[in-house]
């Protein structure tokens, strides 16, 4: 029996990996406190609690952090129009610092010197979890089994992990494992690893794949979709999508949604969590927000991921529209640069860095005038902006009208064009001289 090492708080999911890690940590001499974050995933939390206790956890915390996830992590990303490498809305990257913050809080509450997680040694999550832990509690010690030779040499593959589970009475699924890894939270569902590691393998849940292969193959694809969305049926394929579009109206204040109104029945959702869940529901039914990408991980390798981000996609388009309507052009250019850096910092795990805190404050300041209402439609995988209004609008209908001159003198544009063309004339005059000289 190993020497007692003290208490460790394990970020526990209830799955095979962290269940085996829980038992392994006990073998190493740790007293294990399991922490399961409810961040909007569909899960039997009480069953997970009983399982952790049965495996030897001395205490189990199940913390519902969905509300703070939306208000303190997703909303700043919406304000920023955060998008990593032009496509990824950062669903997992935003969740990790939220989960890790509570992990540290529980460790401090329990007087634990250690925290542990089940993130692999090749991914981004190990960085995100640990940078948050060290930022919030510099003296904390992190146990990362998948980076310890005594662990990964003992469990080089899934078969060894399954054998260990059976030996120690750890419940394992009786059905074959899905040939990919799935992670779910309120913001998104991600699929990666397994068969998806081959970038040529088609994401059979994508409408383009179905259209290209025809109805005969689609029957097989639909069964695959049912597996892909087993955690939360957001995306049901073209045949499962409703016919008519959904047309919510969204009110935005200081760059974040404050109310969503259903154009059909007039029902409104005002709380952050309630309206986010509602947007997930209507966007998911229409297949909004599914992407298949290859991205650059922070550790230096490229990885393929398939993401579903229904509400996040609606919010991205709605916010982009009302921001363009209310924000000064030059301020918006600067803010776009800040958003690019913000997205990179969040993806790489630096949520609690001084530079990211500074960026959030700058971006928040830029959002004070981003106020108004956007009317939009979601239909068959797309988000369509239908109209917008705002008391802080910089749009001047009379000024821009082709039918009214307004407070604008067209003749002034002649000088404007002449001044702007001066640089171009001089550049090409010089180029002509150089060309002639080279030809001589």
């Amino acid at each position: 029996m190993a020497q007692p090492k003290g208490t460790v708080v394990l970020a526990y999911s209830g799955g095979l990996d962290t269940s085996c890690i829980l038992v392994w940590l006990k073998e190493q001499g740790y007293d294990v406190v399991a922490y399961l974050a409810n961040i909007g995933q569909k899960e039997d939390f009480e069953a997970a609690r009983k399982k952790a206790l049965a495996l030897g956890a001395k205490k189990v915390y199940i913390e519902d952090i969905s509300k703070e996830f939306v208000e303190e992590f997703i909303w700043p990303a919406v304000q920023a129009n955060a998008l990593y490498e032009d496509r990824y809305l950062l669903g997992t990257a935003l969740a990790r610092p939220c989960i890790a913050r509570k992990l540290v809080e529980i460790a401090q509450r329990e007087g634990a010197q250690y925290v542990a997680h089940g993130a692999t040694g090749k991914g981004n999550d190990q960085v995100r979890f640990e940078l948050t832990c060290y930022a919030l509690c510099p003296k904390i010690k992190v146990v990362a089994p998948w980076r310890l030779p005594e662990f990964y040499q003992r469990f080089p593959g899934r078969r060894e992990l399954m054998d260990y589970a059976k030996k120690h009475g750890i419940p394992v699924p009786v059905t074959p494992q899905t040939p990919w890894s799935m992670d779910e939270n309120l913001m998104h569902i991600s699929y990666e690893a397994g068969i998806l590691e081959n970038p040529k393998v088609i994401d059979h849940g994508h409408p383009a794949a179905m259209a290209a292969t025809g109805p005969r193959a689609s029957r097989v694809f639909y069964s695959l979709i049912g597996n892909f969305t087993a955690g939360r049926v957001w995306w049901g394929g073209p045949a499962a999508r409703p016919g008519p579009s959904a047309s919510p109206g969204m009110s935005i204040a200081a760059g974040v949604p404050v109310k969503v109104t259903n154009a059909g029945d007039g029902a409104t959702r005002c709380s952050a969590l309630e309206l986010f869940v509602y947007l997930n529901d209507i966007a998911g039914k229409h297949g909004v927000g599914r992407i298949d990408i290859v991205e650059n991980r922070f550790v230096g390798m490229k990885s393929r991921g398939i993401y579903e981000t229904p509400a996040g996609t609606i919010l991205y388009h709605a916010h982009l529209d009302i921001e363009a309507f209310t924000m000064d052009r030059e301020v918006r250019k600067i803010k776009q640069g800040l958003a690019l850096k913000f997205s990179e910092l969040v993806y790489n795990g630096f949520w609690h860095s001084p530079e990211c805190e500074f960026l959030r404050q700058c971006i928040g300041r830029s959002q004070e005038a981003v106020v108004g209402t956007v009317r939009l439609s979601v239909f068959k995988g797309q988000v369509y902006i239908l109209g917008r209004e705002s008391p802080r609008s910089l749009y001047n209908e009379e000024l821009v009208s082709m039918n009214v001159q307004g407070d604008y003198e067209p003749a002034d544009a002649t000088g404007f064009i002449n001044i702007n063309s001066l640089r171009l004339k001089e550049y090409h005059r010089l180029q002509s001289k150089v060309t002639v000289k080279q030809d001589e």
Side-chain angles (χ1 to χ4, degrees):
M1 190 70 181
Q3 291 293 318
K5 290 188 172 69
T7 299
V8 60
V9 180
L10 170 66
Y12 179 72
S13 70
L16 176 66
D17 287 26
T18 53
S19 294
C20 288
I21 286 172
L22 193 161
V23 175
W24 183 83
L25 287 169
K26 283 182 61 61
E27 280 185 350
Q28 309 310 303
Y30 293 99
D31 290 325
V32 182
V33 173
Y35 153 55
L36 179 56
N38 175 357
I39 201 160
Q41 71 273 33
K42 298 296 183 185
E43 188 166 335
D44 188 337
F45 292 102
E46 281 309 306
R49 181 197 300 277
K50 291 175 183 176
K51 182 178 179 180
L53 291 171
L55 294 177
K58 73 172 188 177
K59 190 181 291 188
V60 179
Y61 284 88
I62 298 177
E63 299 285 326
D64 187 344
I65 55 175
S66 300
K67 184 174 181 290
E68 58 199 83
F69 179 41
V70 175
E71 295 178 346
E72 299 176 40
F73 294 85
I74 295 177
W75 277 181
V78 170
Q79 288 180 313
N81 294 325
L83 205 60
Y84 180 71
E85 295 190 335
D86 303 317
R87 290 188 286 178
Y88 174 41
L89 286 163
L90 299 166
T92 299
L94 289 165
R96 295 319 186 214
C98 184
I99 294 169
R101 185 174 70 178
K102 185 65 70 173
L103 180 68
V104 168
E105 181 185 310
I106 292 170
Q108 292 173 328
R109 198 184 309 169
E110 289 291 320
Q113 290 181 284
Y114 304 91
V115 293
H117 61 76
T120 70
K122 287 186 176 181
N124 295 307
D125 282 344
Q126 57 179 338
V127 183
R128 295 163 180 161
F129 275 125
E130 295 182 36
L131 290 184
T132 297
C133 290
Y134 290 133
L136 300 180
C137 186
K139 293 183 179 179
I140 201 75
K141 295 175 183 176
V142 178
V143 181
W146 283 115
R147 295 207 309 267
L148 298 174
E150 60 268 31
F151 186 87
Y152 65 71
Q153 288 174 3
R154 183 176 176 182
F155 306 110
R158 200 162 187 83
R159 179 180 298 174
E160 290 79 9
L161 210 59
M162 295 282 282
D163 290 343
Y164 179 81
K166 290 176 182 176
K167 178 181 176 181
H168 291 276
I170 301 170
V172 295
V174 293
T175 56
Q177 293 295 300
T178 52
W180 52 75
S181 172
M182 185 179 90
D183 181 71
E184 180 187 3
N185 63 53
L186 192 65
M187 178 72 161
H188 86 165
I189 303 174
S190 66
Y191 310 93
E192 59 183 10
I195 61 171
L196 299 176
E197 287 176 352
N198 181 347
K200 293 188 295 184
V201 170
I202 296 173
D203 164 17
H204 295 308
H206 198 284
M210 296 180 188
T213 50
R216 191 172 173 185
S218 292
R219 287 195 295 272
V220 179
F221 294 163
Y222 293 146
S223 66
L224 257 174
I225 294 163
N227 291 330
F228 263 111
T229 55
R232 184 204 311 277
V233 183
W234 270 343
W235 198 90
R241 296 180 194 171
S245 63
S247 302
M250 188 184 305
S251 297
I252 292 172
V256 298
V258 293
K259 183 172 72 172
V260 173
T261 304
N262 186 318
D265 59 15
T268 63
R269 279 85 176 170
C270 297
S271 75
L273 186 56
E274 184 185 28
L275 70 83
F276 199 87
V277 170
Y278 170 69
L279 290 175
N280 264 336
D281 181 50
I282 62 170
K285 286 177 180 175
H286 284 274
V288 167
R290 189 181 180 101
I291 60 170
D292 181 337
I293 66 172
V294 173
E295 69 200 59
N296 289 292
R297 286 181 181 169
F298 189 28
V299 294
M301 63 186 77
K302 291 185 184 290
S303 68
R304 190 264 190 101
I306 296 168
Y307 303 114
E308 294 181 51
T309 318
T313 302
I314 284 185
L315 290 169
Y316 176 81
H317 288 288
H319 179 267
L320 199 64
D321 187 79
I322 203 71
E323 187 176 76
F325 194 47
T326 57
M327 186 176 284
D328 174 78
R329 180 185 70 180
E330 297 305 315
V331 172
R332 189 167 183 270
K333 285 180 184 178
I334 294 171
K335 191 257 178 178
Q336 283 177 302
L338 298 180
L340 191 66
K341 184 62 178 176
F342 173 81
S343 302
E344 180 185 294
L345 289 172
V346 173
Y347 184 87
N348 292 342
F350 287 93
W351 181 272
H352 290 288
S353 66
E355 63 271 30
C356 195
E357 289 178 358
F358 172 72
L359 281 178
R360 288 200 298 277
Q361 294 218 2
C362 290
I363 291 168
R365 172 68 176 81
S366 78
Q367 298 298 292
E368 290 176 1
V370 182
V371 175
T373 301
V374 182
R375 179 75 180 273
L376 51 88
S377 173
V378 293
F379 184 61
K380 293 192 180 298
Q382 299 297 319
V383 179
Y384 300 95
I385 302 297
L386 305 178
R388 78 288 295 158
E389 60 181 334
S390 170
R392 303 295 296 273
S393 167
L394 292 175
Y395 182 89
N396 185 329
E397 188 174 353
E398 183 180 270
L399 182 62
V400 79
S401 175
M402 296 296 184
N403 300 316
V404 181
Q405 184 168 319
D407 190 20
Y408 181 80
E409 180 54 61
D412 291 344
T414 302
F416 176 78
I417 293 168
N418 287 338
I419 292 296
N420 277 281
S421 68
L422 180 63
R423 177 177 60 90
L424 305 182
K425 290 176 182 177
E426 288 302 295
Y427 172 79
H428 286 285
R429 181 181 63 80
L430 178 62
Q431 290 299 104
S432 298
K433 281 186 177 181
V434 171
T435 302
V436 169
K437 195 166 186 178
Q438 287 175 342
D439 290 342
E440 290 177 351

